[in-house]
Amino acid sequence: MEEKYTELKAILAEVDDLQKASSILSWDQQANMPSGGAEARGYQLATISSIAHEKFTAEKVGKLIEDLEPWAAELDPDSNDVRLLKVTKRDYERSTRVPAAMVAEQAQLSAVAHEAWVEARQKADFSIFQPYLEKIVDWNRRYAALFAPYDHVYDPMLDVFEPGMKTVEVQAIFSAIRPKQAELIHAIAEKPQVEDAFLHQHFDKAKQMAFGREIVTALGYDWNRGAEGLVPHPFMTNLGFGDIRINNRVDEEFFNPYLFGAMHETGHALYEQSMGKELARTPLFGGASLGLHESQSRMYENLVGRSKPFWEHYYPRLQEYFASQLGNVSVDEFYKGINKVEPSFIRVEADEATYNMHIMLRLELEIALMDGSLEAKDVPEAWNSRMEEYLGITPPDDAEGCLQDVHWSMGLLGYFSTYALGNLISLQLWEKIEAENPNIYDQIGAGNLAPLLAWLKENVHKHGAKFEPQELVQMVTGSKIDGGPYLAYLNKKFGQIYNL
Amino acid sequence: MEEKYTELKAILAEVDDLQKASSILSWDQQANMPSGGAEARGYQLATISSIAHEKFTAEKVGKLIEDLEPWAAELDPDSNDVRLLKVTKRDYERSTRVPAAMVAEQAQLSAVAHEAWVEARQKADFSIFQPYLEKIVDWNRRYAALFAPYDHVYDPMLDVFEPGMKTVEVQAIFSAIRPKQAELIHAIAEKPQVEDAFLHQHFDKAKQMAFGREIVTALGYDWNRGAEGLVPHPFMTNLGFGDIRINNRVDEEFFNPYLFGAMHETGHALYEQSMGKELARTPLFGGASLGLHESQSRMYENLVGRSKPFWEHYYPRLQEYFASQLGNVSVDEFYKGINKVEPSFIRVEADEATYNMHIMLRLELEIALMDGSLEAKDVPEAWNSRMEEYLGITPPDDAEGCLQDVHWSMGLLGYFSTYALGNLISLQLWEKIEAENPNIYDQIGAGNLAPLLAWLKENVHKHGAKFEPQELVQMVTGSKIDGGPYLAYLNKKFGQIYNL
């Protein structure tokens, strides 16, 4: 049996090498590739994906899994080996449903769709992207059909990013928080607005990046096993054990995007950098789900990066970098400024109180695209009318509306809700952290970020993808994913800032 | 038959996709990868290479080639299809000769040898590298034996980089030019040296890169189908049709490396950017040989970039960028400075007059290592005595002598002569260009680089790898590779600069 297990692991390692190669090609496409290279890159990605798919879905793999199950039944069910086999079986069953031709088609389609999206967003012209969105929706509906029968046509999409989660669960979680979050936004709108004009000044790119590097280092990011790139749309990517990269953008006229983007991507990166080498080149080497991943990024961006204690420590240093811009702004004014709540068009720039509304909008449109109640051509209108309904504002054009996100251009439907789930999970984890370590914010206020990372590593990171998201959240916090702690946090924090 | 040809091309396209993916991974390794990613990247590259090798050397490929030969015999022998089949057959026969175990051995050996070489060079201690050089020579002799019978034991090495070239041809070419080039170097040494201190000042990185971008653009480089990266050792890389990148380094205390490096790599890049899309994803999509490739890079670096007419046009612009450094240096002084001839230790920094001597030395040592007349342990002594003989100088240590180049440590024997052949070919082509277009230097002096590129595209670039180097040079210039034009060029140019 040990031999069969070794044989299976050797195949999984090769598949992982190919998947990482795809990630490198995709990373490069966003960070460096000239536009003329899109078609060739599409072919390369399609070839690699189809070989990886072919290797992973080979009958031999199915036979090895089957043969190994009795052996695994005798072992600790939470051991790496048993969990590896379980996750492999889940992925194998999912992958063998999808024909190789459809996998290659998706890779090719997303390469050209991404280029079209870049142009469409630049020109604020949805019609350039529309035919690609139609093809992407069509592909996703054909994908979902492979998993029939299902409770909901959107379930197979969601399962890719949140293994085990059902559409109905997500809808229930969101329905419970939407009215209360809307209430909070409304209450804030009645109050005098906080000042944040000082964040909208010229902040030199090199200085922003130098300060950002200090913060990212302080959070615990290991630069020997990572690097920073500049891209149009920030993301973190795992390019192999020891190569976990953060990718960000700089706005020289607005302080927030770069620094909070850096903290966000560092949250993702710390998750991947904390995993042990024993998980490398296996399907367990990654986060439990995108929602879990987002809980880490939002924790570092918001619960650390937009907290008062954090800035009580780091604000004097920031003032040294930007004396003329921030020399006369107090840490209290700065704290309020970076936490300003105001309905806005761009999701990635949204404040904590309005952010989830952006997600709910996207989830509803995706579900409607999938169930056929919405056509791609009507997306801009549907987008704008929901923006009006949820946030009381209408985007001036589609670049600030339905073209703002990269996800659909990469063929990804089912992804967005993970962002909101991440917000909710981050608070469930934080409550647990504070219960076990009531001094956590004192430590942060002293510039000591190590205890936080150690806790996360021990309780979340080290498990990699061994557990499903609901299972892991339950295991760590004692309950399933739930919006209660997040709502309580929002009410307390913004109640203080806005004197509600 | 058309069906079999389509089947063969589909396999070749997949193999090309995998090779390009390897190039992207290697490019990234040099341009971006953190040190912690080295082991994972090694696994990824090994997996991709072995899949590509397995696909290309499959029996099915051999059978398709065999089946298609009668069909090809009826077609135009210079058509893309027939040439593609011929090149594929040559590569297939070469690849299937080498047992997989020897390929793996080479990969393993060069990994450890490279590491030893880095340490040896750092410590200027050849004894650290010597045992690995012995193993590398042994591997190459066993490789050559797989291709017996041969005219010369060095032929199989050379054939990898200059298809069809024989050792005896290269030796004849070099023997003819060596005494005359030595004579020129000696004559220059008797004359007063030109001034070039102004090139060794502080030149701001951003300004160097901005000026370089203007020049690279003027040469005809298409930025929509390329990009520039920064790396420790400059190189050009083809990452797929429409993605041809130049990679360079900046020295802020010496003007030459960045700008002439940029023109050199652009010469390589223009070759690849000019090839038609019909060659993409086939083995014909690339240069005819490394020598032909080097003829293009050296032409742009030297025949354009170190020519008087070029600087008569661009020097005022350069002076605008670097007024304090070059404001008081005349274009004539600048021209002489960038063409200073001085025997030196490091090949990559050598001037046009001495460069080939560095190559001849290496070729002689490689041949002697292969035919057994030189042992690895005697390389430093052989190196130093030839440096004394050819250039009248002795390296202070082996780091500036036989340990300076990376090639041997990567297992590459047979590579070096391509650099000198490139110099010679560049002048053979240039004579032809001037014969057909006597105004070429007037055009360059007017900043019009388009006619040069158009000629190269039509006569050299568009053929890709369809022809063997000797065949292509004969076809374009009417004679085989020959050092005469290069010697005449050196004598004329440096005769003027040094008043010989």
Side-chain angles (χ1 to χ4, degrees):
Chain A
M1 275 307 163
E2 289 293 340
E3 259 172 45
K4 287 194 177 183
Y5 186 57
T6 302
E7 195 184 343
L8 178 64
K9 282 185 76 171
I11 296 169
L12 296 178
E14 280 206 338
V15 171
D16 184 74
D17 289 337
L18 291 166
Q19 286 165 343
K20 292 294 186 291
S22 283
S23 297
I24 295 161
L25 268 58
S26 300
W27 174 84
D28 175 77
Q29 181 166 15
Q30 292 173 69
N32 308 290
M33 194 190 78
S35 60
E39 188 181 334
R41 187 57 53 91
Y43 284 126
Q44 294 152 4
L45 285 166
T47 292
I48 291 179
S49 309
S50 83
I51 294 170
H53 184 77
E54 197 182 297
K55 278 191 180 284
F56 182 61
T57 58
E59 273 178 37
K60 187 167 66 178
V61 174
K63 187 69 173 51
L64 285 168
I65 294 169
E66 202 182 310
D67 291 352
L68 284 163
E69 283 190 306
W71 166 77
E74 307 291 313
L75 305 175
D76 171 5
D78 285 348
S79 66
N80 284 353
D81 294 342
V82 175
R83 286 288 172 163
L84 174 60
L85 200 63
K86 188 177 171 182
V87 167
T88 302
K89 187 181 179 187
R90 177 191 77 202
D91 293 349
Y92 180 79
E93 286 175 355
R94 185 194 289 146
S95 299
T96 47
R97 294 253 185 133
V98 190
M102 261 186 82
V103 176
E105 182 194 343
Q106 205 271 358
Q108 175 68 20
L109 175 58
S110 59
V112 291
H114 180 77
E115 292 303 309
W117 168 77
V118 169
E119 191 193 340
R121 191 171 76 148
Q122 202 168 33
K123 296 181 178 170
D125 181 357
F126 179 75
S127 71
I128 296 169
F129 182 55
Q130 184 194 313
Y132 298 95
L133 181 57
E134 280 164 7
K135 285 183 185 136
I136 285 161
V137 170
D138 174 67
W139 188 93
N140 276 278
R141 291 177 72 170
R142 283 185 282 130
Y143 176 88
L146 300 170
F147 295 87
Y150 35 67
D151 298 333
H152 193 291
V153 65
Y154 193 72
D155 282 351
M157 263 72 257
L158 197 59
D159 195 68
V160 174
F161 306 107
E162 292 297 321
M165 287 283 281
K166 300 291 176 201
T167 306
V168 66
E169 287 180 277
V170 177
Q171 285 173 321
I173 293 166
F174 287 177
S175 297
I177 61 174
R178 190 167 49 228
K180 292 177 186 161
Q181 224 174 315
E183 207 174 289
L184 173 67
I185 296 165
H186 194 73
I188 290 170
E190 311 267 289
K191 292 286 181 173
Q193 187 51 284
V194 302
E195 180 57 67
D196 75 337
F198 52 83
L199 297 169
H200 296 272
Q201 299 181 73
H202 186 80
F203 293 90
D204 177 71
K205 178 178 171 178
K207 283 192 190 175
Q208 283 196 53
M209 293 182 75
F211 178 70
R213 199 177 169 96
E214 287 185 23
I215 296 299
V216 167
T217 305
L219 298 182
Y221 185 74
D222 177 354
W223 293 94
N224 291 321
R225 298 190 292 128
E228 181 185 45
L230 291 178
V231 292
H233 188 102
F235 66 106
M236 181 284 301
T237 187
N238 176 339
L239 302 182
F241 187 82
D243 189 359
I244 311 297
R245 299 192 199 173
I246 52 178
N247 298 284
N248 201 354
R249 60 179 171 154
V250 180
D251 182 340
E252 286 201 294
E253 307 309 321
F254 183 24
F255 176 76
N256 293 7
Y258 176 78
L259 196 266
F260 293 107
M263 296 185 79
H264 181 100
E265 301 312 330
T266 300
H268 285 303
L270 294 175
Y271 196 170
E272 306 271 333
Q273 281 194 337
S274 298
M275 289 168 200
K277 199 170 178 181
E278 68 281 2
L279 301 183
R281 300 178 84 215
T282 79
L284 300 186
F285 188 58
S289 73
L290 291 190
L292 254 301
H293 237 302
E294 197 70 7
S295 76
Q296 302 306 293
S297 55
R298 299 292 280 179
M299 184 181 290
Y300 276 94
E301 178 190 353
N302 293 327
L303 306 187
V304 175
R306 283 191 171 87
S307 75
K308 192 81 172 283
F310 180 81
W311 288 109
E312 274 161 0
H313 185 81
Y314 287 104
Y315 191 62
R317 182 70 182 137
L318 178 62
Q319 285 179 311
E320 286 175 28
Y321 273 99
F322 297 110
S324 71
Q325 294 93 332
L326 300 174
N328 294 321
V329 178
S330 73
V331 64
D332 195 55
E333 289 167 313
F334 180 79
Y335 169 70
K336 285 181 177 164
I338 60 171
N339 281 297
K340 180 183 177 182
V341 172
E342 186 173 54
S344 62
F345 304 121
I346 303 296
R347 173 183 61 85
V348 297
E349 292 167 10
D351 54 77
E352 289 180 89
T354 58
Y355 188 94
N356 286 349
M357 307 307 271
H358 291 265
I359 297 307
M360 294 179 208
L361 174 161
R362 286 159 177 76
L363 177 70
E364 287 160 23
L365 297 196
E366 288 190 351
I367 289 175
L369 285 166
M370 285 297 292
D371 72 19
S373 61
L374 177 68
E375 286 183 60
K377 72 174 169 57
D378 298 322
V379 161
E381 199 191 311
W383 184 287
N384 294 348
S385 68
R386 268 188 186 70
M387 279 298 283
E388 184 57 48
E389 186 187 338
Y390 292 168
L391 293 171
I393 56 176
T394 302
D397 60 35
D398 292 336
E400 296 199 54
C402 64
L403 288 171
Q404 69 184 263
D405 294 302
V406 72
H407 307 64
W408 293 343
S409 83
M410 298 175 80
L412 303 172
L413 265 74
Y415 194 115
F416 282 116
S417 56
T418 68
Y419 290 122
L421 295 174
N423 284 333
L424 310 188
I425 298 167
S426 73
L427 259 297
Q428 292 180 271
L429 294 173
W430 198 261
E431 280 195 346
K432 185 75 182 169
I433 294 167
E434 284 199 308
E436 291 188 13
N437 175 9
N439 298 320
I440 185 72
Y441 268 130
D442 295 333
Q443 291 161 347
I444 292 173
N448 179 12
L449 279 304
L452 173 60
L453 181 55
W455 190 93
L456 291 169
K457 183 172 178 172
E458 182 57 30
N459 290 280
V460 179
H461 298 175
K462 76 167 185 190
H463 298 306
K466 279 175 71 172
F467 304 102
E468 289 190 349
Q470 288 284 32
E471 195 180 11
L472 182 60
V473 172
Q474 172 87 45
M475 193 172 93
V476 180
T477 71
S479 49
K480 287 197 165 189
I481 300 172
D482 168 32
Y486 191 66
L487 277 178
Y489 159 77
L490 289 183
N491 284 324
K492 183 177 171 204
K493 178 173 183 174
F494 295 103
Q496 284 168 352
I497 291 174
Y498 282 94
N499 297 309
L500 300 180
Chain B
M1 275 306 165
E2 290 292 340
E3 260 173 44
K4 287 195 175 180
Y5 186 57
T6 303
E7 195 183 342
L8 178 64
K9 282 184 74 172
I11 295 169
L12 296 177
E14 281 204 338
V15 171
D16 184 73
D17 289 337
L18 291 165
Q19 286 165 344
K20 292 294 186 288
S22 284
S23 298
I24 295 162
L25 268 57
S26 300
W27 175 84
D28 176 76
Q29 183 163 17
Q30 292 172 70
N32 308 289
M33 194 189 79
S35 59
E39 187 181 335
R41 188 57 52 92
Y43 285 126
Q44 294 152 5
L45 284 166
T47 292
I48 291 179
S49 310
S50 84
I51 294 170
H53 183 77
E54 196 181 299
K55 277 190 181 285
F56 183 62
T57 58
E59 272 179 38
K60 187 167 67 177
V61 173
K63 187 69 172 52
L64 284 168
I65 294 169
E66 201 182 312
D67 291 351
L68 284 163
E69 284 192 304
W71 166 77
E74 306 290 314
L75 304 173
D76 171 6
D78 284 349
S79 65
N80 284 353
D81 294 342
V82 176
R83 287 287 173 161
L84 173 60
L85 200 63
K86 190 176 169 182
V87 167
T88 302
K89 186 180 177 184
R90 177 192 75 203
D91 294 349
Y92 181 80
E93 286 177 353
R94 187 192 287 144
S95 299
T96 50
R97 276 285 173 114
V98 189
M102 261 187 83
V103 175
E105 184 192 343
Q106 205 271 358
Q108 172 66 21
L109 176 57
S110 58
V112 291
H114 182 77
E115 210 170 313
W117 169 77
V118 169
E119 190 193 341
R121 192 170 74 148
Q122 204 168 31
K123 297 182 176 165
D125 180 355
F126 178 76
S127 71
I128 295 168
F129 182 54
Q130 184 195 316
Y132 298 94
L133 181 57
E134 281 164 6
K135 286 185 183 128
I136 285 161
V137 171
D138 175 67
W139 187 93
N140 277 276
R141 293 176 73 169
R142 282 184 283 128
Y143 175 89
L146 299 170
F147 296 86
Y150 37 66
D151 298 333
H152 193 291
V153 65
Y154 192 70
D155 283 351
M157 263 72 257
L158 198 57
D159 195 67
V160 174
F161 307 107
E162 292 296 320
M165 284 284 280
K166 300 293 175 197
T167 306
V168 65
E169 289 180 276
V170 177
Q171 285 174 318
I173 293 165
F174 287 177
S175 297
I177 61 173
R178 187 168 52 228
K180 290 173 188 166
Q181 222 173 317
E183 208 173 288
L184 173 67
I185 296 165
H186 194 73
I188 290 170
E190 308 267 289
K191 293 286 181 173
Q193 187 52 284
V194 301
E195 179 57 65
D196 75 337
F198 52 84
L199 297 170
H200 297 272
Q201 298 180 75
H202 186 79
F203 293 90
D204 176 72
K205 178 177 172 178
K207 283 192 189 176
Q208 283 197 52
M209 293 183 75
F211 178 71
R213 195 175 172 98
E214 287 185 24
I215 297 298
V216 167
T217 305
L219 298 182
Y221 184 75
D222 179 354
W223 293 95
N224 291 321
R225 298 189 293 128
E228 181 184 45
L230 291 179
V231 293
H233 304 284
F235 66 106
M236 180 283 302
T237 187
N238 176 340
L239 302 182
F241 187 81
D243 190 359
I244 312 298
R245 299 193 198 171
I246 52 179
N247 300 283
N248 202 354
R249 61 180 170 152
V250 180
D251 183 339
E252 286 201 294
E253 307 308 322
F254 183 23
F255 175 77
N256 294 5
Y258 176 77
L259 196 264
F260 294 107
M263 296 187 79
H264 182 99
E265 301 312 331
T266 301
H268 284 304
L270 294 174
Y271 196 171
E272 306 270 335
Q273 280 194 335
S274 298
M275 289 169 201
K277 199 170 176 180
E278 68 282 2
L279 302 183
R281 301 177 83 215
T282 79
L284 300 186
F285 188 59
S289 72
L290 290 189
L292 255 301
H293 236 302
E294 197 71 5
S295 77
Q296 302 304 294
S297 56
R298 298 292 279 180
M299 184 182 289
Y300 276 93
E301 177 189 353
N302 293 326
L303 305 188
V304 175
R306 283 191 172 88
S307 76
K308 192 80 170 285
F310 179 82
W311 288 108
E312 274 161 359
H313 185 81
Y314 288 102
Y315 192 60
R317 182 70 182 136
L318 178 62
Q319 286 179 310
E320 285 174 30
Y321 273 99
F322 297 109
S324 70
Q325 294 91 334
L326 299 174
N328 295 320
V329 178
S330 73
V331 66
D332 194 57
E333 290 168 313
F334 180 79
Y335 169 70
K336 286 180 177 165
I338 59 171
N339 282 296
K340 180 182 178 182
V341 172
E342 189 172 56
S344 60
F345 303 120
I346 304 297
R347 174 184 60 83
V348 297
E349 293 167 8
D351 55 77
E352 288 181 273
T354 58
Y355 188 93
N356 286 348
M357 307 305 273
H358 291 265
I359 297 306
M360 294 181 214
L361 175 162
R362 285 160 177 75
L363 177 70
E364 287 161 23
L365 298 196
E366 287 190 352
I367 290 175
L369 285 166
M370 285 297 291
D371 73 18
S373 62
L374 177 69
E375 286 183 61
K377 72 175 172 52
D378 298 324
V379 161
E381 197 191 313
W383 184 288
N384 293 348
S385 68
R386 269 185 185 71
M387 279 298 283
E388 185 57 49
E389 186 186 339
Y390 294 167
L391 292 170
I393 56 176
T394 302
D397 58 36
D398 293 335
E400 296 200 55
C402 65
L403 289 171
Q404 69 183 266
D405 294 301
V406 72
H407 305 62
W408 293 343
S409 81
M410 298 174 79
L412 301 172
L413 265 72
Y415 194 114
F416 283 118
S417 57
T418 69
Y419 292 123
L421 294 173
N423 285 333
L424 310 187
I425 298 167
S426 73
L427 258 298
Q428 291 180 273
L429 294 173
W430 197 262
E431 279 197 346
K432 185 73 181 169
I433 293 167
E434 283 200 308
E436 291 187 14
N437 176 8
N439 299 319
I440 184 72
Y441 268 130
D442 295 334
Q443 291 161 347
I444 292 172
N448 178 12
L449 278 304
L452 172 61
L453 180 55
W455 191 94
L456 291 169
K457 180 172 180 172
E458 181 56 30
N459 291 279
V460 178
H461 299 175
K462 74 169 185 189
H463 299 305
K466 278 175 71 172
F467 304 103
E468 290 188 345
Q470 286 285 32
E471 196 180 9
L472 182 61
V473 172
Q474 172 84 44
M475 194 172 92
V476 180
T477 71
S479 49
K480 289 196 162 188
I481 300 171
D482 167 35
Y486 191 68
L487 276 178
Y489 159 78
L490 289 183
N491 285 322
K492 186 177 167 200
K493 178 173 183 174
F494 294 102
Q496 284 167 353
I497 291 173
Y498 282 94
N499 296 309
L500 301 180

